[in-house]
């Protein structure tokens, strides 16, 4: 197996995070978006020293994090000043803060479906109305459907870029068109870019803010080191504002970051690149492995290789006996936990999301198990 996806099942089951305590020990968990990795050495050393020193106080690292993020985002095509960056507790908090600050209460906010499960809840918690629109038939951003919602009063779109659950990186041409459309209606675009550093081999990610001057005028990019370096529990993210002259977030948001999260994120972005490159290479191998496993054990399944993320969106509607919720059958009969497609909204019935950021042996065993259930489904 490839480093850093080389942790065995016995080691992983000692973890107390959601992925490893949600189901009994006989279940293989490939659902929630945690990766089965040991921490990058620079981050492990930082956190070990903090524990030894009892360094658990309030964060005073906002300025340092701003500097690092502004430099890091240049790799995604964005020239941002430190003042364009606002540290926040997590991506969801960043999304809600932007919507609350810059939209009229009760305004409609568009999002695509299917999409990352919390999007509608984030929009509602910010005091706004979520409106789901499907992707175009070719999987592209559905500009006509979005324009219809703008015409009826929507004044924002919450974009998932790269897209979860499909792993698609939206092309810059589509993003530029979306920016122009939003600008013409006085709307903003809030781009959840939490998977930004995770473009898989052969692909490149560029931020929504890099799509055009208009994208910078109407856009926000919200990201974190949490998915790439597996730091979700440490709670640190950031908002990059494309148009600070018009859209300035309140400074109190920076104080909500976790101290260890902020230090770990800064270390990830400055010292974690060699480890990230190894992870991306290992994930590329797992994508190849998953393709072979699906072809062998679920030959009627349909999927598009993800361009980013470590999740795969698999269409099992060619196995009608599995019903609209194959994940439920797989959990009860195969003892494999996957994310049910319906949880991602309209268009998700009959799909599952597979987290392939795991030991290849675990991935192999899981697909073999669910393939056996699919073959025997009646």
């Amino acid at each position: 197996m490839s480093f850093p996806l080389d942790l065995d099942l016995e080691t992983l089951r000692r973890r107390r995070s959601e992925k490893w305590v949600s189901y009994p020990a006989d279940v293989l968990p490939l659902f929630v978006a945690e990766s089965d990795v040991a921490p990058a050495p620079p981050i492990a050393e930082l956190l070990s020293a903090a524990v030894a020193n009892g360094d658990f106080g309030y964060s005073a690292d906002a300025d340092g994090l701003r500097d690092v993020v502004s430099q890091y985002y240049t790799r995604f095509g964005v020239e941002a000043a430190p003042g364009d960056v606002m540290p926040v507790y997590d991506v969801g908090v960043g999304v809600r803060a932007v919507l609350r600050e810059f939209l009229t209460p009760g305004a409609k906010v568009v999002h695509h479906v299917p999409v990352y499960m919390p999007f509608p809840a984030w929009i509602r918690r910010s005091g706004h109305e979520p409106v789901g629109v499907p992707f175009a038939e070719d999987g592209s951003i559905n500009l006509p459907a979005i324009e219809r919602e703008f015409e009826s009063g929507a004044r924002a779109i919450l974009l998932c870029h790269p897209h979860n659950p499909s792993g698609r990186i939206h092309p810059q041409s589509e993003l530029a068109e979306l920016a122009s459309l939003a600008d013409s209606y006085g709307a903003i675009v809030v781009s959840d870019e939490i998977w930004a550093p995770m473009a898989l081999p052969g692909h490149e990610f560029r931020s929504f803010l890099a799509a055009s001057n208009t994208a910078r005028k109407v856009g926000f990019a919200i990201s974190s080191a949490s998915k790439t370096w597996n730091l979700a529990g440490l709670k640190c993210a950031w908002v990059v504002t494309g148009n600070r002259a018009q859209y300035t977030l309140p400074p109190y948001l920076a104080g909500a970051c976790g101290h260890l999260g902020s230090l770990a994120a800064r270390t990830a972005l400055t010292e974690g690149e060699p480890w990230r490159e190894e992870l991306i290479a290992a994930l590329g191998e797992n994508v190849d492995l998953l393709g072979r496993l699906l072809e062998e054990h679920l030959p009627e399944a349909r999927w598009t290789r993800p361009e980013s993320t470590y999740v795969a969106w698999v269409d099992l509607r060619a196995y009608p006996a599995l019903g609209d919720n194959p994940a439920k059958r797989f959990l009860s009969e195969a003892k494999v936990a996957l994310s049910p497609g319906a949880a991602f909204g309209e268009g998700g019935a009959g799909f599952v999301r597979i987290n392939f950021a795991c030991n290849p042996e675990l991935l192999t065993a899981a697909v073999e198990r669910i393939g056996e259930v699919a073959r025997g489904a009646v």
Side-chain angles (χ1 to χ4, degrees):
M1 66 188 74
S2 299
F3 175 85
L5 298 175
D6 58 354
L7 298 183
D8 59 44
L9 195 56
E10 181 180 354
T11 299
L12 292 166
R13 290 211 180 276
R14 291 197 289 269
R15 295 186 169 181
R16 311 312 302 154
S17 63
E18 180 180 353
K19 185 174 185 180
W20 292 99
V21 301
S22 296
Y23 295 102
D26 60 345
V27 172
L28 300 179
L30 279 72
F31 68 114
V32 67
E34 300 177 22
S35 57
D36 294 345
V37 293
I43 298 173
E45 292 167 11
L46 168 87
L47 296 177
S48 294
V51 170
N53 293 332
D55 189 8
F56 303 143
Y58 295 108
S59 179
D61 193 45
D63 288 343
L65 185 61
R66 286 188 177 100
D67 289 340
V68 167
V69 171
S70 67
Q71 290 296 314
Y72 192 80
Y73 243 68
T74 61
R75 69 179 54 203
F76 306 133
V78 179
E79 296 295 331
D84 297 329
V85 179
M86 175 61 71
V88 291
Y89 181 72
D90 63 19
V91 167
V93 168
V95 168
R96 296 194 297 274
V98 170
L99 296 179
R100 279 196 302 267
E101 288 293 321
F102 305 120
L103 288 187
T104 302
K108 294 179 181 179
V109 178
V110 179
H111 62 87
H112 277 108
V113 286
V115 78
Y116 179 51
M117 301 89 92
F119 269 27
W122 289 350
I123 294 167
R124 291 190 189 96
R125 287 176 64 188
S126 72
H128 300 93
E129 179 184 347
V131 180
V133 301
F135 285 97
E137 288 187 9
D138 63 357
S140 62
I141 292 173
N142 195 336
L143 294 168
I146 294 168
E147 182 164 19
R148 286 193 292 272
E149 297 302 335
F150 285 164
E151 287 174 343
S152 69
R155 287 298 174 262
I157 178 167
L158 178 54
L159 183 70
C160 196
H161 174 54
H163 182 253
N164 174 9
S166 73
R168 184 177 192 257
I169 296 175
H170 300 299
Q172 291 281 285
S173 59
E174 291 180 23
L175 298 177
E177 290 185 68
L178 176 62
S180 295
L181 180 62
D183 186 44
S184 68
Y185 284 91
I188 60 174
V189 180
V190 185
S191 183
D192 175 352
E193 300 182 355
I194 196 170
W195 299 96
M198 297 214 67
L200 293 169
H203 300 281
E204 178 185 11
F205 173 83
R206 287 177 65 82
S207 172
F208 171 79
L209 299 179
S212 66
N213 289 333
T214 303
R216 287 189 65 89
K217 177 183 176 183
V218 303
F220 302 82
I222 307 180
S223 192
S224 173
S226 60
K227 289 299 180 220
T228 305
W229 285 274
N230 203 41
L231 305 174
L234 294 180
K235 293 303 180 185
C236 175
W238 49 83
V239 180
V240 182
T241 303
N243 182 6
R244 182 163 42 119
Q246 183 171 354
Y247 299 117
T248 301
L249 285 167
Y252 72 82
L253 289 168
C257 265
H259 174 51
L260 296 183
S262 181
L263 296 178
R266 184 144 65 99
T267 301
L269 301 187
T270 56
E271 303 178 46
E273 184 61 17
W275 184 92
R276 187 197 70 85
E277 290 178 350
E278 291 185 273
L279 174 63
I280 295 299
L283 291 172
E285 293 175 6
N286 269 12
V287 173
D288 293 339
L289 173 62
L290 180 58
R292 295 192 299 271
L293 290 169
L294 290 174
E295 185 176 358
E296 180 179 356
H297 299 286
L298 289 154
E300 301 302 317
R302 297 292 177 264
W303 72 308
T304 300
R305 288 175 63 95
E307 299 168 337
S308 181
T309 77
Y310 50 71
V311 294
W313 186 236
V314 181
D315 180 356
L316 296 172
R317 289 175 295 177
Y319 294 91
L322 293 174
D324 287 342
N325 189 1
K328 184 177 181 180
R329 290 282 298 268
F330 294 154
L331 179 60
S332 63
E333 299 177 28
K335 303 299 182 184
V336 174
L338 306 176
S339 297
F344 297 84
E346 183 182 346
F351 286 73
V352 295
R353 191 190 72 172
I354 300 176
N355 176 349
F356 57 85
C358 59
N359 177 323
E361 294 177 2
L362 191 158
L363 181 61
T364 300
V367 178
E368 288 176 347
R369 289 188 190 185
I370 66 175
E372 185 175 350
V373 170
R375 288 191 298 273
V378 292

